[in-house]
């Protein structure tokens, strides 16, 4: 909803941290690790979509798989996530709601050892998000793909992501290639009517 791309980035970064913490130390069959996950979270957001006084409950359910495999001459870890996510946004003042469903893949395209204790990671996010009103009608869509980079400290072990630490989001390298409806523009009238 307005910040769905940021939400994807946040989800991906949270999963990288989770995956790194639970990482198996020995690789098997060329895989560093593979796991499934289920997450549920609820958050109250004030001034939703920049609308003064619009307070919503934002409930998210996320399921997927995460894996890391070594690639290239240097055997650096490449992560990939397959994620299905449902977000229900409810106006706490009137119980009006909208629901967003999305399926997407986050995949490391390039991991570069910068030679200074850091890795620059280029990520491709591709998938589809659809926003529905309370009647179940699609009111906004956001298919396509985008690419972004971020920087991690590899903790002195560039081939072992278990000690990596996120340092900085470096920015969007390629904007969304698909239709990009404004989820806030579609959601606010439904939430406030």
């Amino acid at each position: 909803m307005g910040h769905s791309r940021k939400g994807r980035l946040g989800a991906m970064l949270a999963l990288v941290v989770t995956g790194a913490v639970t990482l198996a130390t020995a690789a098997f069959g060329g895989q560093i690790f593979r796991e499934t996950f289920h997450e549920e979270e609820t958050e109250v957001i004030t001034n939703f979509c920049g609308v003064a006084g619009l307070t919503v409950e934002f409930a998210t359910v996320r399921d997927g798989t995460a894996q890391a495999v070594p690639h290239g001459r240097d055997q650096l870890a490449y992560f990939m996530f397959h994620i299905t996510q449902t977000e229900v946004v409810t106006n706490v003042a009137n119980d009006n709601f909208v629901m967003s469903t999305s399926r997407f893949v986050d995949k490391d395209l390039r991991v570069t050892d910068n030679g200074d204790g850091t890795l620059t990671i280029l990520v491709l996010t591709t998938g589809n998000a659809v926003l529905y009103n309370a009647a179940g009608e699609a009111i906004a869509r956001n298919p396509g793909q985008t690419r972004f980079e971020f920087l991690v400290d590899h903790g002195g072990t560039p081939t072992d992501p278990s000690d990596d630490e996120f340092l900085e989001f470096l920015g969007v390298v390629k904007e969304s290639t698909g239709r990009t409806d404004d989820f806030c523009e579609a959601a606010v009238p439904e939430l406030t009517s």
Side-chain angles (χ1 to χ4, degrees):
M1 332 269 119
H3 57 282
S4 62
R5 293 288 183 198
K6 291 179 187 173
R8 288 181 185 183
L9 172 63
M12 193 280 305
L13 293 176
L15 292 171
V16 167
V17 171
T18 301
V21 169
T22 61
L23 188 65
T25 56
F28 59 93
Q31 262 185 347
I32 299 171
F33 81 96
R34 179 179 173 85
E35 63 183 39
T36 60
F37 57 89
H38 173 82
E39 300 171 344
E40 295 183 28
E41 58 189 342
T42 303
E43 177 183 10
V44 174
I45 300 172
T46 57
N47 302 325
F48 182 67
C49 287
V51 177
L54 179 54
T55 301
V56 300
E57 179 184 81
F58 203 95
T60 303
V61 176
R62 186 177 302 117
D63 291 289
T65 59
Q67 70 178 31
V69 295
H71 274 285
R73 182 186 67 217
D74 295 330
Q75 293 294 286
L76 300 175
Y78 280 62
F79 284 80
M80 182 165 48
F81 303 92
H82 291 265
I83 301 169
T84 301
Q85 181 170 283
T86 301
E87 299 167 309
V88 177
V89 180
T90 305
N91 182 338
V92 298
N94 63 14
D95 288 331
N96 288 358
F97 69 93
V98 293
M99 180 177 69
S100 171
T101 61
S102 57
R103 295 178 62 94
F104 55 95
V105 174
D106 283 331
K107 178 181 179 179
D108 293 350
L109 292 180
R110 184 177 60 238
V111 178
T112 304
D113 187 340
N114 299 318
D116 62 358
T118 65
L119 301 171
T120 299
I121 302 172
L122 173 65
V123 178
L124 165 71
T125 296
T126 184
N128 185 41
V130 181
L131 181 68
Y132 298 93
N133 63 16
E137 302 163 327
I139 58 174
R141 297 181 186 279
N142 190 354
Q145 61 178 256
T146 188
R147 295 178 187 183
F148 60 89
E149 287 184 317
F150 64 97
L151 186 69
V152 298
D153 179 333
H154 63 56
T157 57
T159 59
D160 177 8
S162 67
D163 58 355
D164 289 1
E165 183 178 325
F166 174 80
L167 294 176
E168 179 182 1
F169 177 69
L170 299 175
V172 174
V173 174
K174 184 175 184 179
E175 294 289 340
S176 179
T177 59
R179 173 178 165 180
T180 308
D181 293 343
D182 186 329
F183 277 25
C184 282
E185 186 177 296
V188 169
E190 299 290 329
L191 294 170
T192 57
S193 63

